[in-house]
PDB file of all heavy atoms in Angstrom:
ATOM      1  N   THR A1065     -18.575 -24.169  -5.175  1.00  0.00           N
ATOM      2  CA  THR A1065     -18.623 -25.394  -4.375  1.00  0.00           C
ATOM      3  C   THR A1065     -17.375 -25.504  -3.516  1.00  0.00           C
ATOM      4  O   THR A1065     -16.262 -25.244  -3.984  1.00  0.00           O
ATOM      5  CB  THR A1065     -18.709 -26.627  -5.297  1.00  0.00           C
ATOM      6  OG1 THR A1065     -19.913 -26.539  -6.067  1.00  0.00           O
ATOM      7  CG2 THR A1065     -18.682 -27.920  -4.499  1.00  0.00           C
ATOM      8  N   VAL A1066     -17.549 -25.851  -2.252  1.00  0.00           N
ATOM      9  CA  VAL A1066     -16.412 -26.081  -1.357  1.00  0.00           C
ATOM     10  C   VAL A1066     -16.155 -27.582  -1.317  1.00  0.00           C
ATOM     11  O   VAL A1066     -17.048 -28.368  -1.002  1.00  0.00           O
ATOM     12  CB  VAL A1066     -16.701 -25.549   0.057  1.00  0.00           C
ATOM     13  CG1 VAL A1066     -15.518 -25.847   0.988  1.00  0.00           C
ATOM     14  CG2 VAL A1066     -16.978 -24.045   0.015  1.00  0.00           C
ATOM     15  N   ALA A1067     -14.932 -27.969  -1.668  1.00  0.00           N
ATOM     16  CA  ALA A1067     -14.610 -29.395  -1.736  1.00  0.00           C
ATOM     17  C   ALA A1067     -13.137 -29.618  -1.426  1.00  0.00           C
ATOM     18  O   ALA A1067     -12.305 -28.740  -1.657  1.00  0.00           O
ATOM     19  CB  ALA A1067     -14.939 -29.946  -3.120  1.00  0.00           C
ATOM     20  N   THR A1068     -12.824 -30.766  -0.926  1.00  0.00           N
ATOM     21  CA  THR A1068     -11.436 -31.142  -0.660  1.00  0.00           C
ATOM     22  C   THR A1068     -10.728 -31.404  -1.984  1.00  0.00           C
ATOM     23  O   THR A1068     -11.299 -32.008  -2.891  1.00  0.00           O
ATOM     24  CB  THR A1068     -11.370 -32.411   0.214  1.00  0.00           C
ATOM     25  OG1 THR A1068     -12.073 -32.165   1.432  1.00  0.00           O
ATOM     26  CG2 THR A1068      -9.932 -32.788   0.525  1.00  0.00           C
ATOM     27  N   GLU A1069      -9.493 -30.939  -2.089  1.00  0.00           N
ATOM     28  CA  GLU A1069      -8.754 -31.114  -3.329  1.00  0.00           C
ATOM     29  C   GLU A1069      -8.148 -32.511  -3.437  1.00  0.00           C
ATOM     30  O   GLU A1069      -7.801 -33.131  -2.436  1.00  0.00           O
ATOM     31  CB  GLU A1069      -7.636 -30.065  -3.425  1.00  0.00           C
ATOM     32  CG  GLU A1069      -8.177 -28.641  -3.508  1.00  0.00           C
ATOM     33  CD  GLU A1069      -7.071 -27.598  -3.614  1.00  0.00           C
ATOM     34  OE1 GLU A1069      -5.888 -27.967  -3.441  1.00  0.00           O
ATOM     35  OE2 GLU A1069      -7.387 -26.430  -3.862  1.00  0.00           O
ATOM     36  N   ASP A1070      -8.021 -32.980  -4.685  1.00  0.00           N
ATOM     37  CA  ASP A1070      -7.446 -34.302  -4.928  1.00  0.00           C
ATOM     38  C   ASP A1070      -6.606 -34.242  -6.190  1.00  0.00           C
ATOM     39  O   ASP A1070      -7.125 -34.060  -7.286  1.00  0.00           O
ATOM     40  CB  ASP A1070      -8.561 -35.336  -5.095  1.00  0.00           C
ATOM     41  CG  ASP A1070      -8.008 -36.731  -5.398  1.00  0.00           C
ATOM     42  OD1 ASP A1070      -6.782 -36.922  -5.254  1.00  0.00           O
ATOM     43  OD2 ASP A1070      -8.805 -37.598  -5.780  1.00  0.00           O
ATOM     44  N   ARG A1071      -5.286 -34.385  -6.023  1.00  0.00           N
ATOM     45  CA  ARG A1071      -4.374 -34.255  -7.165  1.00  0.00           C
ATOM     46  C   ARG A1071      -4.072 -35.586  -7.833  1.00  0.00           C
ATOM     47  O   ARG A1071      -3.225 -35.685  -8.713  1.00  0.00           O
ATOM     48  CB  ARG A1071      -3.072 -33.584  -6.719  1.00  0.00           C
ATOM     49  CG  ARG A1071      -2.197 -33.145  -7.887  1.00  0.00           C
ATOM     50  CD  ARG A1071      -1.205 -32.098  -7.473  1.00  0.00           C
ATOM     51  NE  ARG A1071      -1.903 -30.954  -6.924  1.00  0.00           N
ATOM     52  CZ  ARG A1071      -1.302 -29.882  -6.431  1.00  0.00           C
ATOM     53  NH1 ARG A1071       0.008 -29.824  -6.404  1.00  0.00           N
ATOM     54  NH2 ARG A1071      -2.013 -28.874  -5.945  1.00  0.00           N
ATOM     55  N   THR A1072      -4.750 -36.609  -7.491  1.00  0.00           N
ATOM     56  CA  THR A1072      -4.497 -37.926  -8.069  1.00  0.00           C
ATOM     57  C   THR A1072      -4.545 -37.861  -9.597  1.00  0.00           C
ATOM     58  O   THR A1072      -5.531 -37.420 -10.176  1.00  0.00           O
ATOM     59  CB  THR A1072      -5.542 -38.942  -7.568  1.00  0.00           C
ATOM     60  OG1 THR A1072      -5.524 -38.971  -6.146  1.00  0.00           O
ATOM     61  CG2 THR A1072      -5.237 -40.324  -8.126  1.00  0.00           C
ATOM     62  N   GLY A1073      -3.460 -38.321 -10.220  1.00  0.00           N
ATOM     63  CA  GLY A1073      -3.439 -38.388 -11.674  1.00  0.00           C
ATOM     64  C   GLY A1073      -3.008 -37.126 -12.382  1.00  0.00           C
ATOM     65  O   GLY A1073      -2.974 -37.084 -13.619  1.00  0.00           O
ATOM     66  N   TYR A1074      -2.627 -36.068 -11.645  1.00  0.00           N
ATOM     67  CA  TYR A1074      -2.247 -34.812 -12.308  1.00  0.00           C
ATOM     68  C   TYR A1074      -0.979 -34.960 -13.121  1.00  0.00           C
ATOM     69  O   TYR A1074      -0.001 -35.554 -12.680  1.00  0.00           O
ATOM     70  CB  TYR A1074      -2.044 -33.688 -11.281  1.00  0.00           C
ATOM     71  CG  TYR A1074      -1.431 -32.451 -11.917  1.00  0.00           C
ATOM     72  CD1 TYR A1074      -2.169 -31.666 -12.794  1.00  0.00           C
ATOM     73  CD2 TYR A1074      -0.097 -32.109 -11.682  1.00  0.00           C
ATOM     74  CE1 TYR A1074      -1.618 -30.554 -13.402  1.00  0.00           C
ATOM     75  CE2 TYR A1074       0.473 -30.993 -12.277  1.00  0.00           C
ATOM     76  CZ  TYR A1074      -0.291 -30.217 -13.144  1.00  0.00           C
ATOM     77  OH  TYR A1074       0.270 -29.117 -13.756  1.00  0.00           O
ATOM     78  N   ASN A1075      -1.007 -34.374 -14.320  1.00  0.00           N
ATOM     79  CA  ASN A1075       0.163 -34.307 -15.194  1.00  0.00           C
ATOM     80  C   ASN A1075       0.030 -33.012 -15.998  1.00  0.00           C
ATOM     81  O   ASN A1075      -0.994 -32.781 -16.652  1.00  0.00           O
ATOM     82  CB  ASN A1075       0.205 -35.519 -16.134  1.00  0.00           C
ATOM     83  CG  ASN A1075       1.476 -35.570 -16.957  1.00  0.00           C
ATOM     84  OD1 ASN A1075       1.985 -34.557 -17.425  1.00  0.00           O
ATOM     85  ND2 ASN A1075       1.996 -36.777 -17.146  1.00  0.00           N
ATOM     86  N   ARG A1076       1.064 -32.184 -15.956  1.00  0.00           N
ATOM     87  CA  ARG A1076       1.020 -30.898 -16.656  1.00  0.00           C
ATOM     88  C   ARG A1076       0.737 -31.061 -18.149  1.00  0.00           C
ATOM     89  O   ARG A1076       0.112 -30.207 -18.774  1.00  0.00           O
ATOM     90  CB  ARG A1076       2.340 -30.156 -16.443  1.00  0.00           C
ATOM     91  CG  ARG A1076       2.354 -28.716 -16.953  1.00  0.00           C
ATOM     92  CD  ARG A1076       3.659 -28.027 -16.579  1.00  0.00           C
ATOM     93  NE  ARG A1076       3.771 -26.688 -17.133  1.00  0.00           N
ATOM     94  CZ  ARG A1076       3.255 -25.599 -16.580  1.00  0.00           C
ATOM     95  NH1 ARG A1076       2.594 -25.682 -15.438  1.00  0.00           N
ATOM     96  NH2 ARG A1076       3.399 -24.410 -17.141  1.00  0.00           N
ATOM     97  N   ASP A1077       1.192 -32.162 -18.722  1.00  0.00           N
ATOM     98  CA  ASP A1077       0.982 -32.400 -20.150  1.00  0.00           C
ATOM     99  C   ASP A1077      -0.489 -32.593 -20.508  1.00  0.00           C
ATOM    100  O   ASP A1077      -0.858 -32.571 -21.685  1.00  0.00           O
ATOM    101  CB  ASP A1077       1.780 -33.623 -20.608  1.00  0.00           C
ATOM    102  CG  ASP A1077       3.286 -33.376 -20.568  1.00  0.00           C
ATOM    103  OD1 ASP A1077       3.692 -32.200 -20.573  1.00  0.00           O
ATOM    104  OD2 ASP A1077       4.042 -34.363 -20.523  1.00  0.00           O
ATOM    105  N   LEU A1078      -1.328 -32.800 -19.499  1.00  0.00           N
ATOM    106  CA  LEU A1078      -2.765 -32.943 -19.751  1.00  0.00           C
ATOM    107  C   LEU A1078      -3.415 -31.594 -20.059  1.00  0.00           C
ATOM    108  O   LEU A1078      -4.594 -31.534 -20.425  1.00  0.00           O
ATOM    109  CB  LEU A1078      -3.447 -33.586 -18.542  1.00  0.00           C
ATOM    110  CG  LEU A1078      -3.038 -35.037 -18.257  1.00  0.00           C
ATOM    111  CD1 LEU A1078      -3.586 -35.497 -16.910  1.00  0.00           C
ATOM    112  CD2 LEU A1078      -3.530 -35.950 -19.380  1.00  0.00           C
TER     113      LEU A1078
END
Side-chain angles (χ1 to χ4, degrees):
T1065 299
V1066 178
T1068 302
E1069 296 180 350
D1070 178 12
R1071 192 160 302 178
T1072 304
Y1074 171 70
N1075 186 321
R1076 188 175 175 84
D1077 292 339
L1078 294 170

